Amino acid sequence: MSITRRDFLKIAAVTGGVAAASTPVVKSVLALGKKPVSLPQYVPTTCEMCFWRCGVIAKVVDGKVVKLDGNPLHPNSRGKLCARGHGGIGLLYDSDRLKTPLINTGSRGEAKFKKASWDEALGYVADRMQKIKEKYGAESVGLLTHGTVSTYFMHLLQAFGSPNFAMPSFALCRGARGVAFELTFGEDVGNPERLDLQNSKAIVLIGSHLGENAHNSQCQEFAEAVGKGATVIVLDPRFSTAAGKAKYWLPIKPTTDLAILLAWINIIINEGLYDKDYVAKYTTGFNEVSQAVKEYTPEWAEKETEIPAGRIVETARVLGKNKPNVLIHPGRHTAWYSDNVQRQRAVAILTAILGAYGRPGGIYLNPKKKLEPVFLSDKDYPEPQKPAINKGNYPFAGEEGVTHAIVKATLTEDPYPIKAWFITGTNIMKAMPNQRDTLNAVQRLDLLVAVDMMPYDGVMLADVVLPECTYLERHDDFFTVKERSFGISFRQPVVQPMYDTKPGWWIAKELGKRLGLEEYFPWNTFDDFLKAKAEAWGIDYAELGQKGYIDFPESAKPYLSQGEDYKFKTPSGKIELYSNELKKHGFDPIPKYTKHEQPSEGWFRLIYGRAPVHTFSRTTNNPSLWELMEENVAWINAKVAKRMGLKHGDYIVLVNQDGVKSNKVRAKVTERIRPDCIYLVHGFCSTSKLLHRAYLRGADDQQLITKYAIDPISGSVGMRVNFVKITKEV
């Protein structure tokens, strides 16, 4: 049972929290006439079991974490944790954890490792990096990264002289959404998204699986909204958990989501259901949009989407009736096809004409809090000698870069070779499409270094493995939280690091020393850096350590005031329904519908998603979470299964359009999916033999994703363009 806010404040007052890594984590008292009995210590920190980064309170007894609870002070957790959050203990005590540095003694990918000291492993890496720099230039070292560890290795890479880093989270997840909303409103919707779900009267989920993706605070608010009678509309070829809470489930034909969005915009404008005052005051380009969507009638959309025209009209009117308290969920994983930005632009335009941006029940405004940046070092990075390649030729690729640009340069040596990869906090074999390209690129490298906690598939390809300790064993940089108000979340160790593992910041700093980059790491411990940062920001470091989260309530201004003259961060200062920025680069300034290839007879579109108990491939070996879901299943429409003679629970194999076969996987025969689709939960079937629970469990959707479609605007990688057929061969 989660403790209450009052209980936590009492605990903090008694224990004093933990202010530094060296602080003892347990205190002992003498029981009457008995041996010492340890009192539990409650230590707040920040979770890293997924990107939501909820506030956590760890209960520690005799130096062992025995329970995790949500921090009631933290807006992302609100005193509650999902299954993954509770699975942090499983990560900490997983016997399969990486325990010591490793150096590969066989050929690359053979995974014949010897144990090494940190001095030997870091010296090996530094020597190889220097030789690559001398021969090819510093820019030939690339970084593929995700999570908190990114901060330190992006810093190291830039200090070394390379700008070539990329995060799968941009190209493979939310990059298209970010670009679309920045073009329309001048900024993205945040991470986590600034969604006022609890005050929504109508909620639209377009392939967003709330309740299955376990986005903690959003799931809590979604439940509140449903409890208060919000109308939920779900567009999804699969009857998801969220669809079970919906008044309208629209089992849309994959690739046609943009058609229904454009038809909704058409209906809302033609019937005068848009927010006229809001549109007049805050937007530009409305007349152009009005003309552009005339061809997208509900009757036209019915032919494309296979949703009846009457239902399209009915749901559009629901949105118009409930404006502005409407949330068109912008999603996270938005990399589906080749028109990802334009689809997300339609979401943004629909949000704007309903007056739902900066209004209750829609997308609330970014909280305002000015903090001067405090960098890991005051020393300027050296100027790269070659242009960066991490953004490819995509005019709106974000600062996070696009992973496939680095893979392509590694394969082609165009415009120059990439000869070394660091992979930190990401399983490249489960994150990136077309595993054959990734494997071929890996074979062309002179050096591959993996920094991680577990021996994931991608880690097993490395020349050198540097084991990072878990989030429960380390400090990390402060997290700025932008919910309705601005806040600072703190991560601190609740126990000392196990085995011969080290924090990411320590690994980067020690490698920097061996590369002659000491000046870029002027602090002795990360605790020292955090204290200096807290002082610069006027934050009480001890209080932050005791509470785990500090809020700045004065920063909150979630909604536009009546008649307020608000300036958006766009070139015009208004919401840009018509994008001159897109036009300037040769793209459609208003979204246009595009058709995509459909599966032929006997083939099915492969779609994928998430499970509430797992984070991608990173938790499928977790002893706590593995017990809840050991493997995935293939969702197959009941009529299709009957026609093929398949029964629920039968083992099948999926074969994609390029002849790639999956591992055997059980069939889930159900009415809850369209007959032209097969659905898998992502992240299963690890090929790492060191992951004893996850090894070859279920089917790997990523293995079957050998095709992908790149969005020319953002460089995001559409992966829902693969088709599979079913065979009983196992």
Side-chain angles (χ1 to χ4, degrees):
M1 181 177 68
S2 297
I3 63 175
T4 66
R5 176 188 175 103
R6 181 177 298 173
D7 289 336
F8 173 66
L9 293 177
K10 288 180 180 178
I11 291 166
V14 171
T15 65
V18 173
S22 60
T23 304
V25 294
V26 291
K27 298 178 181 178
S28 296
V29 296
L30 289 175
L32 292 174
K34 298 182 180 180
K35 64 180 181 180
V37 176
S38 296
L39 290 176
Q41 176 110 359
Y42 295 87
V43 187
T45 191
T46 303
C47 184
E48 184 99 348
M49 292 300 289
C50 82
F51 47 78
W52 219 250
R53 293 177 183 155
C54 293
V56 171
I57 300 170
K59 181 179 179 180
V60 182
V61 178
D62 288 331
K64 185 177 178 66
V65 181
V66 298
K67 197 172 189 295
L68 297 174
D69 282 298
N71 187 340
L73 302 181
H74 199 296
N76 290 2
S77 53
R78 308 176 189 194
K80 300 176 182 178
L81 291 181
C82 69
R84 301 172 195 167
H86 287 289
I89 296 176
L91 172 64
L92 178 63
Y93 298 118
D94 191 337
S95 59
D96 288 345
R97 273 183 62 179
L98 293 167
K99 301 177 176 67
T100 185
L102 302 171
I103 295 177
N104 188 18
T105 58
S107 59
R108 180 166 294 129
E110 198 173 358
K112 288 186 177 180
F113 294 110
K114 71 169 186 176
K115 294 181 180 179
S117 67
W118 278 100
D119 188 61
E120 181 185 9
L122 292 171
Y124 180 101
V125 174
D127 179 65
R128 289 287 187 92
M129 289 179 68
Q130 293 285 26
K131 288 178 179 177
I132 290 169
K133 184 175 184 177
E134 291 168 9
K135 187 172 182 179
Y136 300 102
E139 301 84 0
S140 289
V141 178
L143 169 67
L144 304 175
T145 187
H146 191 259
T148 311
V149 71
S150 304
T151 300
Y152 321 120
F153 283 89
M154 287 167 58
H155 176 65
L156 175 68
L157 203 71
Q158 291 175 98
F160 185 67
S162 176
N164 289 319
F165 52 84
M167 301 183 189
S169 55
F170 182 85
L172 306 178
C173 192
R174 56 188 172 84
R177 180 200 74 186
V179 172
F181 273 73
E182 287 167 12
L183 286 167
T184 310
F185 297 101
E187 59 185 350
D188 191 10
V189 293
N191 180 31
E193 296 78 25
R194 303 189 309 277
L195 309 182
D196 197 21
L197 279 157
Q198 65 186 7
N199 293 311
S200 293
K201 294 180 180 178
I203 299 169
V204 178
L205 302 176
I206 307 172
S208 292
H209 307 148
L210 285 180
E212 296 172 358
N213 52 25
H215 297 164
N216 191 347
S217 52
Q218 281 189 21
C219 289
Q220 292 186 50
E221 288 203 19
F222 180 63
E224 291 177 35
V226 170
K228 291 189 289 188
T231 300
V232 179
I233 302 167
V234 172
L235 275 68
D236 203 314
R238 183 179 64 93
F239 191 83
S240 62
T241 298
K245 309 298 180 186
K247 181 175 180 179
Y248 300 96
W249 173 44
L250 308 181
I252 192 165
K253 182 179 180 180
T255 74
T256 66
D257 307 83
L258 182 54
I260 201 168
L261 287 164
L262 293 170
W264 276 344
I265 294 170
N266 177 330
I267 296 162
I268 287 167
I269 291 175
N270 285 343
E271 296 191 5
L273 299 173
Y274 63 96
D275 190 322
K276 299 176 183 62
D277 291 340
Y278 184 98
V279 166
K281 186 171 185 62
Y282 295 117
T283 75
T284 180
F286 178 77
N287 290 336
E288 290 88 340
V289 169
S290 181
Q291 289 297 315
V293 299
K294 282 186 175 180
E295 64 181 291
Y296 302 122
T297 65
E299 291 75 22
W300 166 85
E302 177 179 352
K303 294 176 182 177
E304 295 295 323
T305 64
E306 299 182 357
I307 304 300
R311 187 54 56 92
I312 295 173
V313 173
E314 183 180 355
T315 47
R317 288 171 178 168
V318 168
L319 301 180
K321 175 185 175 183
N322 287 286
K323 69 175 184 298
N325 314 121
V326 176
L327 180 66
I328 317 298
H329 198 301
R332 283 190 70 88
H333 173 61
T334 57
W336 297 353
Y337 314 115
S338 59
D339 55 359
N340 302 316
V341 169
Q342 294 291 20
R343 187 182 72 253
Q344 290 300 115
R345 274 270 293 153
V347 170
I349 290 168
L350 183 58
T351 297
I353 66 173
L354 290 167
Y357 194 93
R359 308 287 280 281
I363 297 172
Y364 55 81
L365 301 175
N366 216 341
K368 304 296 183 185
K369 177 67 179 177
K370 185 172 178 58
L371 292 173
E372 293 299 324
V374 178
F375 301 106
L376 292 174
S377 167
D378 291 333
K379 185 174 174 61
D380 291 337
Y381 295 130
E383 192 69 29
Q385 300 302 300
K386 300 174 185 175
I389 60 175
N390 62 332
K391 298 182 185 180
N393 295 317
Y394 310 106
F396 294 94
E399 292 303 315
E400 297 145 295
V402 289
T403 48
H404 57 89
I406 290 179
V407 173
K408 181 181 177 183
T410 306
L411 286 168
T412 64
E413 300 194 355
D414 180 25
Y416 53 82
I418 296 290
K419 302 303 291 184
W421 288 3
F422 275 80
I423 52 173
T424 63
T426 184
N427 185 356
I428 56 172
M429 296 306 295
K430 290 290 191 283
M432 295 161 62
N434 199 344
Q435 294 174 349
R436 291 175 297 186
D437 276 358
T438 303
L439 289 170
N440 288 337
V442 163
Q443 293 303 327
R444 297 180 68 90
L445 295 171
D446 290 351
L447 176 67
L448 177 58
V449 181
V451 180
D452 220 314
M453 295 166 283
M454 298 292 298
Y456 297 117
D457 310 58
V459 171
M460 293 293 93
L461 299 172
D463 300 315
V464 181
V465 178
L466 304 176
E468 185 185 25
C469 58
T470 73
Y471 73 92
L472 292 168
E473 303 165 288
R474 67 179 193 245
H475 280 103
D476 272 317
D477 203 356
F478 295 146
F479 303 105
T480 55
V481 180
K482 296 182 180 181
E483 285 267 352
R484 289 169 177 82
S485 60
F486 185 91
I488 301 292
S489 184
F490 188 39
R491 177 174 292 153
Q492 59 188 335
V494 305
V495 291
Q496 296 301 314
M498 297 173 62
Y499 313 115
D500 195 11
T501 64
K502 300 291 185 181
W505 62 262
W506 184 93
I507 300 171
K509 176 180 171 67
E510 289 299 311
L511 185 53
K513 280 184 185 178
R514 288 160 176 80
L515 292 168
L517 304 173
E518 295 95 333
E519 292 178 284
Y520 289 93
F521 300 88
W523 25 269
N524 291 321
T525 70
F526 212 69
D527 190 38
D528 294 336
F529 171 74
L530 293 174
K531 287 177 179 176
K533 193 170 189 176
E535 183 178 359
W537 284 355
I539 294 172
D540 187 324
Y541 189 69
E543 180 187 5
L544 185 57
Q546 291 169 2
K547 293 181 177 179
Y549 183 80
I550 292 180
D551 185 48
F552 297 86
E554 72 280 2
S555 66
K557 186 187 180 301
Y559 312 128
L560 294 165
S561 304
Q562 183 70 32
E564 178 182 355
D565 289 326
Y566 187 86
K567 187 175 179 62
F568 292 85
K569 297 177 182 178
T570 58
S572 66
K574 293 182 177 291
I575 301 169
E576 299 192 347
L577 308 180
Y578 180 100
S579 174
N580 285 307
E581 286 290 300
L582 284 176
K583 184 179 180 181
K584 183 171 67 177
H585 286 86
F587 301 113
D588 293 326
I590 298 170
K592 290 181 180 179
Y593 182 67
T594 50
K595 287 181 177 287
H596 301 276
E597 183 184 3
Q598 298 299 324
S600 55
E601 184 67 27
W603 291 82
F604 308 88
R605 185 176 300 278
L606 178 65
I607 58 176
Y608 48 84
R610 303 184 62 193
V613 300
H614 283 301
T615 301
F616 313 124
S617 64
R618 298 189 68 79
T619 60
T620 55
N621 196 73
N622 185 294
S624 305
L625 303 177
W626 177 84
E627 289 185 357
L628 299 175
M629 186 177 181
E630 298 178 5
E631 60 185 26
N632 57 359
V633 295
W635 289 45
I636 301 171
N637 181 271
K639 292 179 181 178
V640 172
K642 183 177 180 180
R643 187 169 69 243
M644 298 188 66
L646 289 173
K647 295 180 181 178
H648 184 78
D650 284 353
Y651 274 113
I652 61 170
V653 168
L654 302 175
V655 184
N656 81 350
Q657 70 281 331
D658 295 320
V660 176
K661 294 182 178 181
S662 74
N663 190 41
K664 67 178 183 179
V665 62
R666 291 188 186 275
K668 178 184 175 70
V669 177
T670 176
E671 301 279 359
R672 296 168 56 193
I673 190 168
R674 284 177 55 99
D676 54 358
C677 296
I678 298 287
Y679 172 81
L680 290 171
V681 169
H682 170 68
F684 284 83
C685 192
S686 172
T687 57
S688 171
K689 293 181 180 180
L690 299 185
L691 296 175
H692 294 97
R693 301 174 198 86
Y695 179 63
L696 296 185
R697 286 276 190 164
D700 179 11
D701 61 313
Q702 205 69 45
Q703 181 185 15
L704 298 168
I705 298 174
T706 53
K707 286 173 54 180
Y708 54 90
I710 298 177
D711 183 308
I713 299 173
S714 65
S716 65
V717 178
M719 295 185 287
R720 294 188 178 178
V721 296
N722 289 267
F723 305 127
V724 296
K725 61 182 179 180
I726 302 167
T727 175
K728 294 184 181 179
E729 175 192 350
V730 295

